[in-house]
């Protein structure tokens, strides 16, 4: 027991000694690293404090055998003190020692050059004062926005500042203001652009960004969607470095197609101490708003002759809730042509194309602010349709009231068909494999109330469509007879095993189809060697000496399996069956042979067509003759050929 205790003690002691050595090694590495860092810092400080280049070289002499050990601050100190001989010597040694000092040297030289350039700039007594200049800019518009691209230069085709400091943009009413500080050609500039636009903008919907080098990109949202005749409110004001952004305007012209270019705006009319009349696109004196149709009230705050809204929006809705007597989805309110005097669009349940449900408070579905484009009102799923509601109505509204008549849309309660076809039948009449044709017959549903069509699809089972190109045909429920003629040689998609018939209307399909298993009927003996192919044909000697007439007995060695065939066909052949019997081998029909007759077929004084060299035998069923055949050459002696 004592011996074991001593062994355990020794192992414990050795473990503690090992851990101690690891800690000492880590501390040693850390100490060495810190020591090197301290040495570098001390050397860099000594270089900065050296009085002469010779003194600096003496300090660096012990390190020139390994210039890689000279860190950035040391080399930067040499360059910034302009000790060029020492700097060149260090660079030359770096080539010999294959050490790359290029980044450090370039950075130090760049810093020195910038300081020198800044010194030269200060020779200009006005350098510290930024010159105020108006930057060059281009503009373009569509129906809802104005687009500006501002270049930090006084002339568009001249170079300018690549960036600006302290960019600031302010927008309100019809004004846009930009300021920013930049440097170019040893000069400082304060770029100032102040614009009073033709009409009001929406600051909260307008955006700007320093999108590319040396440029400012701005999108100003028009308060009202219209085609402006110019950018500025004052048509007499000329800005020399303002240009139309032709390339962009060509792209935007499609949005302006067919729009009338207005002549005035509330802004331009207020500039004449008048008010804007929307209906006539003209400026009226305050007392003459009675001459503005439907807008007899002067509003000097907005610069408008105003009144009840003059134009209505339109409305569309598609129900996505498939439950009967419930709706859900998005109501889309398509903006009025002019929204000058519209504060909101109110959407209601309606019991006709004009009349709201009563009481009005419960008939209100929602209120939308005009934005210059289509706005959406979300209707939650499973929203019950009030008993007498037949329409959705949208009224243009402002402080003076609502415009009548409203925009409207009839409520179409989306409901999938509940009934489905009672049965479906189809028999393939196309004898080729993986191809079908024939008449698909549908037995109509007992309840056809919500059904518009019966939709025929390929199915991968009795309920699911195949993944690709499943649709065959929509058959209207009014079709008589209720059938679909599947065209000849219609390819069966990969994986299709069934035919499915879904009852359908404009809202979708009943998810539960009527189905039938697809049977691909084929002709026999599509490939040589299949069990329904005739195996061989033999004959007796032709007893008729006339080469144009034959009298002989033919025997067909029958197919291994005759379950799928109804008999055989004999033909004269102009060649054998090597290339297939249906590819020009036939030279005339001989006889239709039943299964029972196949072993012995008597041909008595049968005419032999000119050019016939063989007898050909095909198997057949009600879908057609086999693609392949067996043959025997016409000869004096009995012969036999086999597949």
């Amino acid at each position: 027991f004592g011996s074991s205790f001593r062994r355990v003690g020794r192992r414990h002691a050795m473990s503690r000694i090992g851990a101690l050595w690891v800690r000492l090694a880590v501390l040693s590495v850390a100490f060495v690293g810190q020591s090197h860092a301290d040495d570098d810092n001390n050397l860099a400080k000594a270089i900065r404090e050296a009085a002469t280049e010779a003194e600096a070289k003496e300090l660096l002499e012990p390190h020139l055998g390994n210039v890689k050990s000279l860190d950035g601050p040391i080399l930067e100190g040499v360059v910034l003190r302009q000790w060029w001989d020492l700097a060149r010597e260090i660079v030359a040694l770096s080539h010999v020692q294959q050490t790359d000092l290029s980044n450090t040297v370039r950075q130090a030289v760049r810093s020195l050059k910038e300081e020198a350039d800044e010194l030269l700039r200060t020779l200009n007594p006005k350098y510290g004062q930024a010159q105020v200049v108006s930057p060059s800019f281009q503009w373009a518009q569509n129906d809802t926005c104005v687009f500006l691209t501002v270049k930090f230069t006084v002339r568009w085709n001249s170079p300018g500042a690549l960036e600006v400091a302290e960019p600031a943009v302010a927008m309100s009413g019809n004004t846009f203001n930009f300021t920013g500080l930049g440097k170019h050609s040893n000069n400082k500039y304060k770029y100032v652009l102040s614009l009073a636009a033709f009409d009001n903008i929406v600051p909260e919907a307008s955006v700007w960004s320093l999108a590319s080098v040396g440029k400012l990109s701005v999108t100003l949202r028009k308060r009202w969607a219209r085609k402006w005749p110019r950018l500025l409110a004052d048509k007499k004001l000329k800005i020399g470095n303002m240009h139309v952004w032709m390339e962009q305007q060509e792209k935007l012209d499609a949005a302006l197609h067919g729009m009338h270019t207005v002549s005035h705006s509330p802004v331009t009319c207020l500039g004449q101490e008048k008010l804007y009349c929307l209906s006539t696109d003209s400026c009226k004196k305050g007392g003459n708003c009675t001459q503005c149709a439907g807008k007899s009230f002067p509003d000097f705050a907005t610069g408008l002759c105003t009144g009840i809204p003059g134009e209505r929006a339109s409305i569309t809705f598609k129900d996505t809730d498939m439950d009967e007597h419930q709706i859900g989805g998005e109501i889309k309110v398509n903006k009025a042509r002019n929204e000058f005097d519209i504060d909101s669009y109110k959407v209601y349940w309606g019991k006709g194309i004009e009349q709201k449900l009563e009481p009005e408070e419960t008939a209100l579905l929602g209120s939308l602010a005009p934005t210059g484009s289509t706005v959406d009102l979300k209707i939650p799923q499973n929203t019950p349709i009030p008993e007498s509601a037949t329409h959705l109505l949208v009224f243009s509204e402002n402080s003076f009231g609502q415009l009548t008549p409203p925009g409207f849309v009839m409520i179409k309660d989306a409901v999938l068909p509940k009934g489905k076809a009672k049965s479906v039948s189809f028999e393939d009449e196309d004898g080729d494999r993986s191809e079908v044709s024939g008449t698909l017959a549908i037995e109509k549903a007992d309840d056809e109330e919500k059904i518009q069509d019966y939709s025929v699809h390929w199915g991968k089972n009795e309920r699911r469509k195949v993944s690709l190109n499943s649709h065959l045909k929509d058959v209207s429920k009014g079709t008589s007879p209720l059938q679909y003629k599947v065209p000849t040689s219609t390819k069966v998609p990969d994986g299709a095993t069934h035919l499915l018939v879904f009852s359908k209307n404009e809202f979708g399909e009943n998810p539960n189809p009527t189905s039938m298993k697809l049977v691909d009927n084929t002709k026999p003996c599509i490939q040589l060697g299949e069990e329904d192919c005739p195996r061989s044909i033999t004959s007796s000697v032709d007893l008729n000496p006339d080469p144009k007439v034959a009298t002989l007995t033919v025997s067909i060695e029958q197919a291994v399996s005759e379950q799928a065939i109804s008999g055989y066909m004999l033909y004269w052949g102009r060649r054998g069956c090597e290339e297939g019997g249906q590819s020009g081998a036939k030279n005339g029909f001989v006889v239709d042979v039943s299964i029972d007759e196949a072993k012995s077929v008597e041909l008595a004084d049968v005419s032999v067509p000119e050019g016939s060299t063989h007898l050909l035998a095909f198997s057949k069923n009600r879908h057609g003759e086999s693609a392949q055949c067996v043959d025997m050459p016409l000869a004096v002696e009995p012969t036999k050929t086999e597949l």
Side-chain angles (χ1 to χ4, degrees):
F1 178 79
S3 175
S4 298
F5 181 79
R6 285 192 296 273
R7 285 196 299 271
V8 171
R10 284 196 297 270
R11 285 197 299 269
H12 180 68
M14 292 299 292
S15 175
R16 292 188 63 188
I17 291 171
L20 180 60
W21 274 110
V22 170
R23 286 197 293 271
L24 287 172
V26 171
L27 289 173
S28 175
V29 170
F31 176 77
V32 170
Q34 183 62 43
S35 176
H36 286 170
D38 290 343
D39 289 346
D40 288 345
N41 290 336
N42 292 335
L43 183 57
K45 181 179 179 182
I47 293 296
R48 290 195 300 271
E49 294 175 352
T52 65
E53 185 173 0
E55 184 180 342
K57 183 175 181 180
E58 185 178 348
L59 290 169
L60 292 177
E61 195 70 43
H63 304 278
L64 295 181
N66 181 19
V67 295
K68 188 176 182 179
S69 65
L70 302 178
D71 69 355
I74 297 172
L75 287 176
E76 288 175 6
V78 172
V79 173
L80 293 176
R81 295 295 298 273
Q82 302 180 46
W83 291 328
W84 304 120
D85 290 339
L86 178 56
R88 281 191 288 269
E89 182 179 351
I90 294 172
V91 171
L93 288 171
S94 74
H95 297 325
V96 175
Q97 298 173 20
Q98 297 184 346
T99 298
D100 186 6
L101 301 178
S102 58
N103 286 338
T104 303
V105 173
R106 291 180 191 278
Q107 183 176 347
V109 171
R110 189 182 303 114
S111 177
L112 184 63
K113 184 176 183 300
E114 287 176 356
E115 291 293 337
D117 288 342
E118 184 67 15
L119 177 61
L120 290 176
R121 293 187 195 106
T122 58
L123 294 175
N124 183 348
K126 295 183 178 180
Y127 173 67
Q129 304 171 9
Q131 300 179 46
V132 178
V133 295
S134 176
S136 181
F137 69 98
Q138 296 179 332
W139 77 283
Q141 66 168 322
N142 62 13
D143 56 334
T144 60
C145 296
V146 170
F147 303 91
L148 305 177
T149 178
V150 182
K151 187 175 181 181
F152 305 135
T153 178
V154 293
R155 287 185 296 275
W156 186 261
N157 293 323
S158 299
L162 298 180
E163 59 184 5
V164 293
E166 302 177 23
V169 170
M171 294 177 279
S172 65
N174 71 315
T175 62
F176 169 82
N177 294 284
F178 163 76
T179 60
L181 299 174
K183 295 180 182 179
H184 177 63
S185 301
N186 294 330
N187 291 309
K188 292 183 179 180
Y189 296 97
K190 181 177 183 180
Y191 297 104
V192 177
L193 181 62
S194 296
L195 301 176
F198 173 80
D199 205 349
N200 289 313
I201 61 174
V202 184
E204 58 271 20
S206 301
V207 294
W208 64 276
S209 65
L210 297 170
S212 60
V213 175
K215 289 183 181 178
L216 173 75
S217 177
V218 183
T219 300
L220 302 176
R221 183 62 176 262
K222 294 179 180 178
R223 176 67 180 84
W224 299 287
R226 304 202 300 169
K227 183 179 179 181
W228 292 2
R230 57 186 181 275
L231 175 62
L232 304 179
D234 186 353
K235 63 181 178 181
K236 295 181 180 180
L237 179 61
K238 305 296 181 183
I239 300 179
N241 53 5
M242 177 179 75
H243 310 279
V244 175
W245 191 357
M246 296 303 299
E247 181 181 0
Q248 182 73 352
Q249 190 59 61
E250 289 176 1
K251 298 176 183 178
L252 300 174
D253 278 343
L256 298 171
H257 181 70
M259 290 190 73
H260 170 68
T261 302
V262 296
S263 300
H264 299 281
S265 73
V267 170
T268 61
C269 289
L270 278 175
Q272 304 173 39
E273 298 183 351
K274 296 180 180 180
L275 301 179
Y276 182 63
C277 176
L278 174 63
S279 60
T280 59
D281 187 25
S282 61
C283 299
K284 304 287 186 184
K285 291 183 179 180
N288 293 337
C289 279
T290 53
Q291 300 175 10
C292 185
K295 307 293 179 185
S296 58
F297 300 98
D299 186 345
F300 292 96
T302 62
L304 286 164
C305 291
T306 189
I308 290 174
E311 297 191 21
R312 65 178 182 174
S314 62
I315 184 172
T316 58
F317 174 70
K318 183 177 181 180
D319 182 17
T320 57
D321 183 303
M322 295 298 136
D323 295 328
E324 195 166 9
H325 307 306
Q326 296 179 354
I327 64 170
E330 287 187 346
I331 296 174
K332 293 190 176 295
V333 175
N334 305 304
K335 74 178 189 70
R337 187 170 61 91
N338 283 305
E339 295 182 321
F340 271 85
D341 50 2
I342 300 173
D343 295 335
S344 64
Y345 295 112
K346 294 291 181 64
V347 181
Y348 296 88
W349 295 108
K351 54 183 178 181
I353 62 173
E354 294 187 20
Q355 190 175 359
K356 307 169 192 171
L357 287 187
E358 296 176 348
E360 183 174 317
E361 293 76 13
T362 59
L364 179 65
L365 281 165
S367 178
L368 298 167
T371 63
S373 58
T374 298
V375 288
D376 299 332
L377 178 64
K378 187 172 181 61
I379 303 299
Q381 299 293 309
N382 305 315
T383 297
I385 302 172
E387 185 175 348
S388 56
T390 59
H391 290 73
L392 296 171
L393 311 178
V394 58
F395 289 84
S396 302
E397 180 178 284
N398 63 17
S399 59
F400 293 92
Q402 294 179 341
L403 172 67
T404 55
F408 64 88
V409 64
M410 180 179 288
I411 298 171
K412 288 187 176 181
D413 185 9
V415 181
L416 296 179
K418 292 183 172 61
K420 65 176 187 175
K422 292 171 67 176
S423 67
V424 56
S425 60
F426 172 75
E427 184 171 359
D428 178 22
E429 298 172 357
D430 187 306
D432 292 326
R433 188 167 293 164
S434 299
E435 294 182 0
V436 296
S437 66
T439 300
L440 183 143
I442 301 168
E443 187 177 4
K444 72 176 185 177
D446 289 331
D447 177 12
E448 288 192 311
E449 180 186 359
K450 301 290 184 181
I451 299 175
Q452 293 176 335
D453 300 298
Y454 293 95
S455 189
V456 183
H457 290 262
W458 299 108
K460 60 183 177 182
N461 55 40
E462 66 275 6
R463 291 181 58 84
R464 302 285 299 278
K465 303 171 187 176
V466 296
S467 301
L468 297 174
N469 302 318
S470 71
H471 185 253
L472 273 166
K473 183 73 173 180
D474 285 342
V475 182
S476 172
K477 74 173 183 180
T479 303
S480 181
L482 200 58
Q483 295 177 345
Y484 165 51
K485 296 285 188 181
V486 180
T488 302
S489 303
T490 296
K491 297 288 185 183
V492 179
D494 291 341
T497 60
H498 287 71
L499 287 168
L500 311 179
V501 176
F502 294 84
S503 54
K504 174 184 176 182
N505 61 22
E506 63 180 299
F507 305 112
E509 297 173 343
N510 183 325
N512 300 308
T514 303
S515 65
M516 65 163 287
K517 181 75 174 177
L518 177 65
V519 178
D520 182 10
N521 293 325
T522 60
K523 297 176 286 190
C525 193
I526 293 176
Q527 298 292 332
L528 284 173
E530 292 181 347
E531 291 188 346
D532 51 6
C533 294
R535 288 181 286 172
S536 67
I537 178 174
T538 59
S539 76
S540 65
V541 174
D542 183 4
L543 300 178
N544 195 318
D546 186 349
K548 296 183 179 180
V549 180
T551 299
L552 46 78
T553 300
V554 177
S555 178
I556 300 172
E557 186 176 2
Q558 292 165 261
V560 173
S561 172
E562 295 182 317
Q563 183 177 356
I565 65 176
S566 59
Y568 300 91
M569 302 286 283
L570 283 181
Y571 289 88
W572 300 110
R574 56 174 59 91
R575 58 175 173 76
C577 297
E578 298 85 0
E579 299 178 13
Q582 303 293 349
S583 58
K586 295 177 182 177
N587 198 37
F589 174 70
V590 179
V591 67
D592 191 341
V593 181
S594 69
I595 290 175
D596 295 337
E597 298 170 336
K599 293 181 179 178
S600 180
V601 183
E602 298 291 338
L603 301 180
D605 298 331
V606 178
S607 296
V608 180
E610 185 177 353
S612 298
T613 61
H614 289 73
L615 265 175
L616 313 178
F618 296 80
S619 55
K620 69 167 187 173
N621 62 19
R622 62 195 180 95
H623 305 297
E625 293 178 358
S626 61
Q628 308 298 330
C629 63
V630 292
D631 65 73
M632 58 160 283
L634 297 177
V636 178
E637 298 297 329
T639 60
K640 176 179 179 179
T641 62
E642 297 185 1
L643 287 175

